[in-house]
Amino acid sequence: MSKILEPTPELSKQLHEKVVEDQSASSLVNRLRTKNKDLQTQSVNTYQQFWNDSANNNEESRASMYKTLTNTYYNLATDFYEYGWGESFHFARKSIGESLRESIKRHEHTLFDAARISSGMKVLDVGCGVGGPARECVRYTGAHVTGLNNNDYQIERAQIYARKHEQVEHSQFLKGDFMDMPFGEAEFDAVYAIEATCHAPVLRDVYTQMYRVLKPGGYFAIYEWCLTDKFDADNSEHQRLARAIEHGDGIGKLFSTRVALQAAKDAGFEIERAQDIAHETQVGNEIAWYKDLDCGVINFSGLQGFARSQIGRVFTSNAVKVLEK
């Protein structure tokens, strides 16, 4: 059995030897070409131990080693997310004629409005990725945004983008575990998270941290990945699909909507609005959130559209194989 390779700051520095600022195909190639191949292989083996035939392929190990699981996943996946999806690592429903980027921004604005974020506020983005939503929050609301992330590489990427977009004075990106946040009580006027706290081993505990750092009367808004009430734990196909999502997205365990809502209440929050938007297709949101995962056989709408097309995926897969040799 391969040993677990802990994703330390030192490993991140060695693994990501060259960081470039753009998202072009040449940028992806340059990033992958300059990776430390031995550490890359060991990182892949570490991640797969949580899912393949090993002693760590169980919910207990994935929960107790959530930082290793999640950090290893994003050390491997971040470059591909940026290349194929953009700077905001989350889904969004689309309206007819709307681009993916436009729909992502619209869904971010909806969340910022729900959190009552306005100019001059001090805001916390929990699990900020490479900072896409945080930068949009600065542009849309005029607030100052602190992004919290436990992945060294993503923090480095977020800081590059902050300089590029001249937002250094309006944002900061800090390393920290969202299960034990490095902030005092009542530091922030608003707190939000977008498809990030699904990586927490216990939702109540991460929500409690969000409640602790939020000022009294402040708002907490979140897009959370959840299993619906239709999920049947005794249905083998349901189990297979849930496991595929967990494995494919670095999630130790998906929780139900009921568990998430109760966790928020147990943390101290009053629920003003809770809505399942995954299955709502209505005027202004006619196109389901998952449609952009497959852009058809070929797509020339842009680099990211091409990357998500069938031919684009084959091209990327083969390019990666060549670079691994």
Side-chain angles (χ1 to χ4, degrees):
M1 181 190 302
S2 302
K3 70 174 184 179
I4 293 291
L5 185 68
E6 290 294 337
T8 62
E10 293 75 21
L11 180 140
S12 179
K13 185 175 182 179
Q14 294 177 56
L15 178 60
H16 309 291
E17 293 178 355
K18 182 178 180 182
V19 181
V20 291
E21 298 196 11
D22 63 86
Q23 299 168 302
S24 66
S26 61
S27 164
L28 177 69
V29 171
N30 284 335
R31 289 191 221 174
L32 297 181
R33 183 167 51 82
T34 58
K35 302 290 183 187
N36 184 309
K37 291 183 172 56
D38 288 338
L39 291 180
Q40 187 88 342
T41 299
Q42 291 180 59
S43 296
V44 170
N45 292 337
T46 290
Y47 184 70
Q48 294 294 54
Q49 281 195 51
F50 291 104
W51 308 101
N52 292 341
D53 187 19
S54 79
N56 292 313
N57 183 6
N58 56 76
E59 288 184 4
E60 292 75 17
S61 291
R62 290 192 286 270
S64 64
M65 302 177 70
Y66 70 94
K67 287 186 283 189
T68 301
L69 170 70
T70 305
N71 267 327
T72 301
Y73 173 79
Y74 281 114
N75 272 344
L76 296 168
T78 294
D79 294 321
F80 293 96
Y81 272 42
E82 289 187 71
Y83 166 62
W85 203 256
E87 299 173 24
S88 294
F89 299 172
H90 64 85
F91 293 106
R93 299 168 299 168
K94 287 168 57 178
S95 64
I96 295 171
E98 187 177 40
S99 70
L100 174 63
R101 181 60 194 140
E102 289 170 339
S103 69
I104 283 176
K105 289 172 63 175
R106 179 165 59 85
H107 276 61
E108 290 170 356
H109 295 176
T110 298
L111 196 74
F112 303 151
D113 289 341
R116 312 294 202 274
I117 299 172
S118 61
S119 180
M121 278 188 169
K122 187 178 179 182
V123 177
L124 177 64
D125 180 333
V126 178
C128 63
V130 298
R135 287 185 292 281
E136 187 60 29
C137 186
V138 170
R139 284 188 289 261
Y140 181 67
T141 69
H144 182 282
V145 181
T146 296
L148 181 68
N149 193 324
N150 208 27
N151 184 269
D152 294 281
Y153 183 52
Q154 290 196 342
I155 291 173
E156 188 174 9
R157 300 291 303 151
Q159 291 170 342
I160 285 174
Y161 283 124
R163 292 192 295 270
K164 178 180 178 180
H165 295 283
E166 299 184 0
Q167 289 192 0
V168 174
E169 300 298 321
H170 308 285
S171 62
Q172 62 177 338
F173 298 95
L174 305 177
K175 182 174 181 178
D177 181 3
F178 58 21
M179 303 295 285
D180 185 20
M181 294 185 187
F183 307 115
E185 294 188 7
E187 279 200 27
F188 296 95
D189 299 298
V191 177
Y192 71 84
I194 302 180
E195 298 181 18
T197 50
C198 54
H199 295 292
V202 183
L203 289 180
R204 181 193 66 252
D205 291 355
V206 68
Y207 292 169
T208 297
Q209 286 290 304
M210 296 167 84
Y211 184 86
R212 180 182 67 81
V213 302
L214 181 63
K215 292 179 180 179
Y219 279 82
F220 145 92
I222 185 169
Y223 285 141
E224 187 69 90
W225 279 28
C226 298
L227 296 170
T228 73
D229 291 338
K230 294 181 180 180
F231 177 77
D232 181 357
D234 295 323
N235 185 307
S236 60
E237 180 64 7
H238 287 195
Q239 291 177 354
R240 184 189 69 80
L241 291 171
R243 176 58 62 86
I245 292 171
E246 291 166 349
H247 185 188
D249 293 279
I251 299 171
K253 178 180 173 59
L254 284 168
F255 297 99
S256 70
T257 302
R258 281 182 291 179
V259 167
L261 289 173
Q262 188 59 52
K265 294 175 183 177
D266 291 344
F269 289 108
E270 297 179 12
I271 307 296
E272 286 197 359
R273 177 185 176 190
Q275 182 180 3
D276 178 5
I277 64 172
H279 299 96
E280 288 187 356
T281 53
Q282 57 193 30
V283 176
N285 290 300
E286 299 89 352
I287 302 173
W289 60 271
Y290 52 82
K291 291 294 186 181
D292 270 285
L293 287 171
D294 186 353
C295 289
V297 175
I298 186 66
N299 187 296
F300 294 111
S301 63
L303 175 64
Q304 290 163 359
F306 171 76
R308 298 193 305 276
S309 69
Q310 294 173 30
I311 291 177
R313 292 199 297 271
V314 170
F315 170 83
T316 302
S317 179
N318 288 331
V320 170
K321 289 177 183 177
V322 169
L323 291 169
E324 287 176 341
K325 293 181 179 179

